[in-house]
Amino acid sequence: MGVQETDALCFIESFKSRYPGIQKFLKETVKKCTQDGFVQTIMGRHRYLPAIKETNPYKKAQAERQAVNTIIQGSAADIVKAATVNIQTQLEALPSIVKSFGHLESSFPKILSVIPKTGK
């Protein structure tokens, strides 16, 4: 990434001190996973991580990272899925004339015009 290790460590420590709740979340997630053997996403999906009780420190550390990532990324996926289902339900409730391709085609440039350009 082009960052010196000392600079990266400094950034991480600065981040942790600025947002102390994150460190608490990480520790509590690992502790709960160690007790239960699994983590749960916001919508209740479980991921079992038996390696969380591993004596091999590398395997244990990997399971700890998986526990945290599962909750964060899995919950994000849960939210996106719920939103997608909700959008689909809303679209299905629209009159068929609104759902026609011609309407979407004419609306698409309007939708794109309000999306900010990132320069990428």
Side-chain angles (χ1 to χ4, degrees):
M1 290 180 58
V3 178
Q4 296 294 323
E5 187 175 347
T6 54
D7 292 339
L9 290 171
C10 182
F11 175 79
I12 290 169
E13 288 308 314
S14 171
F15 187 84
K16 286 179 181 179
S17 66
R18 189 172 192 178
Y19 304 103
I22 291 174
Q23 193 64 25
K24 181 181 177 191
F25 166 77
L26 297 174
K27 287 181 181 180
E28 287 178 4
T29 297
V30 170
K31 181 180 176 185
K32 184 157 177 40
C33 185
T34 302
Q35 292 169 352
D36 300 340
F38 67 91
V39 290
Q40 184 173 332
T41 67
I42 198 168
M43 299 286 204
R45 291 184 299 128
H46 290 101
R47 180 173 186 186
Y48 291 89
L49 295 163
I52 199 82
K53 297 178 183 183
E54 185 63 58
T55 56
N56 179 322
Y58 298 105
K59 290 182 180 181
K60 182 175 176 59
Q62 180 181 14
E64 290 173 354
R65 291 189 302 275
Q66 289 173 328
V68 171
N69 288 340
T70 295
I71 291 178
I72 294 169
Q73 294 175 350
S75 294
D78 288 347
I79 292 166
V80 169
K81 182 179 179 181
T84 303
V85 169
N86 187 26
I87 289 168
Q88 182 65 35
T89 303
Q90 297 296 318
L91 287 174
E92 289 170 356
L94 293 174
S96 61
I97 191 140
V98 175
K99 292 188 278 188
S100 71
F101 179 76
H103 174 76
L104 293 177
E105 187 177 39
S106 65
S107 297
F108 200 60
K110 294 175 192 167
I111 292 168
L112 290 178
S113 70
V114 297
I115 300 172
K117 293 186 168 116
T118 62
K120 290 184 181 179

